Amino acid sequence: MSQHDNPSDAAKEKEPAGSDQAELMNSLAGILKALNHPIAADHRPSGEAEKLLKKELNKRAVEAKPVTVAFPTCTDVMFSLVRTSSSDEIAGFFHDYFQFCDHQLLADAADLESVLDRGLRTCSGKWFQRITPSNCEGDVVITSRPGTSSSSEGTATTAAMPRATPGADWPPFWCFPPTCVSLRGRRHLYPDPDPAAPAPGKIKRLFAADLLWVFYVERLGIFQILGRILDDYAYIGALPISNGSLRPGAEDDVTAVVLEAMVRATEAGASSKVRDRNSSYQRALGWQSEAGRRLNQAGRSNQELTRYLHQFFGKVLRFYDDKRLAVAIRSTGSPAAQPSTETLTAISVTLVEMKKTFERFHYGRNYTNTLSAIVWAIAGMALIERLKEDLGIPRAYNSPHEFIPAAYNILVLENKDAPLETSRYENHKICAEAGRDILMDIELLDLTDVSIGGELDTWLSVIEGSVEKYRTAYRSLTGVDIGAASPAIEQQA
């Protein structure tokens, strides 16, 4: 009888092979499990590096130079229903972009005297001489006002005034009425973990990223809801919306004034229009809204931006997968691989090319269209909240994720019994905010540092959560996975 004729001996001989297979399967199971979890903290850039980068991005956002832009007509009236002292979500949207104080229309008026005729400035300047602008967080600059000197030539004098500006005497208010709302927001400013740290300041301009925020707010249906309300108030009369005489107290009167301001602006063509917004989506993002697509309007589409953006999502999601794989392999006892500088370089090249396309946001009326849309969207949300009972929305619906979907069902779908899709609101909000935050950072980043632990590598770790949230929310809304090899982007022009 050979040694292999004994069953027990044969089993013993086969044990090592079975043991290796079991160990391999356990290792693979561990790797697969690790791939479904965030990258481990010890495989990320240091916490201190992330903290320093966040501070630097805050600084760059706050110090970004303002852009010359006029606010929409009656902005300060339309925002009358916003309570800035409130902690609710709509007040948060307002604080993301605005502050109640004088807006400086001209971003750079330092050499205005060499551009405008002295006689024109002397004439228009006399209407501004006794106006002291309101204080925006203690800003003090030097202002020059013509016509205040005793000189026969009407030469300018110089004085320090709160929030005064070098171009405060032009353009005249009969052409561009002044507004008590200024671009001074706090959106996407990274919080400092140190509670004693000073506030980073306010962001005084818009970015191409803010147009992406507008796109998802429109896709949610805010402008459709607002349009139905104004149509009913002006022409139809199916809803019991008061003109200010049905309820005691000032709130009803203020609401009526806001409605009247919006109706007048709409009839004058000064509201945020589908054509304006879609033109800017197409020219600056390479996207189109559903309503805008039906217009079939001509215009150059920024296909490059949308192509690079979704190339970036594909590359960065593979980058995260590679990092998770490295973590998983290390957990099995094998050496951990560092992220590839080649991968970082490929991401950098894509982002550098994308960043060049942001310039188109500053062509034509794109910046103005974006500001107008943001004003009308946030003011519209505040109006929907104020009118919710008149619209037939239950009083218990106190949050935008409840009363905005309810208003959409009643006014747009014309089916008040339709299911309340709160997830639809939340997914649009995630896409709007996460997408905006990522694009803002790209515009502010130094994209040439592709070293391990450098600015790009550190930033990719910072935004991992935002990328995954955007991916999940976008897939929930459209059924498209932006991590796929060639995603069919729903909104592409």
Side-chain angles (χ1 to χ4, degrees):
M1 184 175 178
S2 71
Q3 60 178 343
H4 296 298
D5 291 335
N6 187 328
S8 62
D9 289 341
K12 289 178 182 178
E13 184 177 354
K14 292 178 181 178
E15 276 180 3
S19 176
D20 288 346
Q21 187 175 16
E23 184 176 343
L24 176 61
M25 294 301 292
N26 286 334
S27 296
L28 288 173
I31 290 172
L32 290 172
K33 183 178 180 181
L35 288 174
N36 290 320
H37 288 78
I39 298 167
D42 59 356
H43 204 75
R44 300 167 63 99
S46 71
E48 186 62 27
E50 291 188 8
K51 180 180 176 181
L52 290 173
L53 178 59
K54 290 176 181 178
K55 282 188 172 182
E56 179 61 26
L57 288 172
N58 284 353
K59 180 174 181 289
R60 293 174 192 174
V62 168
E63 293 180 353
K65 184 181 176 182
V67 174
T68 294
V69 65
F71 268 80
T73 304
C74 298
T75 293
D76 27 27
V77 172
M78 291 193 293
F79 276 144
S80 305
L81 299 176
V82 175
R83 277 79 164 181
T84 58
S85 59
S86 171
S87 59
D88 67 23
E89 196 164 70
I90 293 175
F93 292 146
F94 178 88
H95 287 301
D96 279 347
Y97 288 97
F98 306 116
Q99 181 180 348
F100 283 131
C101 64
D102 286 301
H103 171 62
Q104 178 178 337
L105 194 156
L106 292 178
D108 187 356
D111 61 343
L112 201 59
E113 291 185 12
S114 65
V115 177
L116 295 179
D117 186 277
R118 177 181 293 179
L120 173 61
R121 292 196 73 199
T122 301
C123 181
S124 63
K126 67 176 180 284
W127 300 97
F128 295 84
Q129 289 180 23
R130 290 182 175 82
I131 297 175
T132 301
S134 58
N135 189 356
C136 286
E137 298 182 346
D139 285 358
V140 177
V141 298
I142 302 300
T143 183
S144 175
R145 297 180 183 277
T148 56
S149 170
S150 58
S151 166
S152 60
E153 295 294 325
T155 54
T157 59
T158 302
M161 299 179 67
R163 189 58 182 152
T165 62
D169 45 37
W170 192 91
F173 55 79
W174 47 88
C175 182
F176 287 103
T179 178
C180 293
V181 181
S182 181
L183 267 170
R184 300 173 69 84
R186 64 186 186 193
R187 66 196 178 285
H188 189 43
L189 290 174
Y190 289 103
D192 195 309
D194 180 5
K202 296 289 183 69
I203 302 172
K204 303 176 185 67
R205 55 159 291 176
L206 300 178
F207 297 86
D210 297 306
L211 184 58
L212 181 145
W213 183 89
V214 171
F215 176 87
Y216 282 107
V217 169
E218 173 157 4
R219 196 183 185 283
L220 176 59
I222 295 298
F223 295 106
Q224 289 173 285
I225 297 169
L226 182 58
R228 300 296 193 282
I229 290 172
L230 297 180
D231 276 351
D232 189 272
Y233 183 76
Y235 308 113
I236 300 171
L239 300 169
I241 302 175
S242 169
N243 67 345
S245 62
L246 298 182
R247 297 186 181 98
E251 187 170 44
D252 206 29
D253 298 272
V254 170
T255 304
V257 171
V258 171
L259 283 162
E260 183 62 25
M262 287 183 162
V263 168
R264 290 187 183 193
T266 301
E267 294 189 337
S271 63
S272 177
K273 299 184 289 293
V274 172
R275 183 180 180 86
D276 293 339
R277 295 191 300 272
N278 194 68
S279 168
S280 291
Y281 299 148
Q282 187 171 335
R283 290 189 291 161
L285 299 178
W287 294 1
Q288 283 194 359
S289 65
E290 183 180 349
R293 198 181 299 277
R294 293 194 291 269
L295 297 176
N296 196 29
Q297 64 192 106
R300 179 175 177 179
S301 176
N302 192 359
Q303 295 288 348
E304 294 87 349
L305 187 147
T306 190
R307 182 172 71 249
Y308 290 131
L309 176 62
H310 291 95
Q311 283 181 11
F312 162 71
F313 279 128
K315 290 176 181 178
V316 77
L317 287 165
R318 288 192 293 276
F319 174 80
Y320 294 143
D321 286 344
D322 290 345
K323 281 191 125 182
R324 293 188 190 98
L325 182 59
V327 172
I329 291 173
R330 187 175 64 179
S331 69
T332 66
S334 301
Q338 286 291 333
S340 167
T341 54
E342 183 179 344
T343 305
L344 287 172
T345 301
I347 293 173
S348 169
V349 169
T350 298
L351 293 181
V352 167
E353 293 303 313
M354 188 201 309
K355 193 170 181 177
K356 293 176 184 176
T357 70
F358 289 159
E359 180 182 341
R360 296 187 193 174
F361 177 64
H362 297 282
Y363 294 170
R365 299 193 75 242
N366 292 331
Y367 195 100
T368 298
N369 290 343
T370 303
L371 176 60
S372 178
I374 293 170
V375 168
W376 277 78
I378 298 174
M381 292 181 203
L383 182 64
I384 294 166
E385 181 179 30
R386 173 66 187 84
L387 295 175
K388 64 182 183 179
E389 290 185 43
D390 297 334
L391 302 178
I393 299 172
R395 185 177 299 178
Y397 289 1
N398 292 318
S399 173
H401 79 271
E402 295 171 325
F403 62 74
I404 288 177
Y408 187 84
N409 288 350
I410 294 168
L411 297 174
V412 181
L413 299 182
E414 298 183 352
N415 181 6
K416 66 178 181 180
D417 297 322
L420 193 68
E421 296 187 65
T422 57
S423 61
R424 181 175 178 273
Y425 173 89
E426 295 295 349
N427 284 324
H428 278 95
K429 183 171 180 283
I430 289 170
C431 283
E433 294 182 344
R436 176 189 65 192
D437 294 353
I438 292 167
L439 279 190
M440 273 187 67
D441 279 352
I442 291 170
E443 188 156 356
L444 298 169
L445 274 171
D446 174 9
L447 299 170
T448 61
D449 183 358
V450 295
S451 61
I452 303 300
E455 184 158 310
L456 179 58
D457 184 29
T458 301
W459 176 71
L460 292 177
S461 294
V462 167
I463 66 159
E464 182 189 1
S466 294
V467 171
E468 293 291 358
K469 285 196 298 183
Y470 184 91
R471 179 190 194 180
T472 302
Y474 188 84
R475 184 166 48 200
S476 296
L477 291 173
T478 67
V480 174
D481 183 3
I482 58 171
S486 298
I489 303 305
E490 177 208 51
Q491 66 270 27
Q492 189 163 336

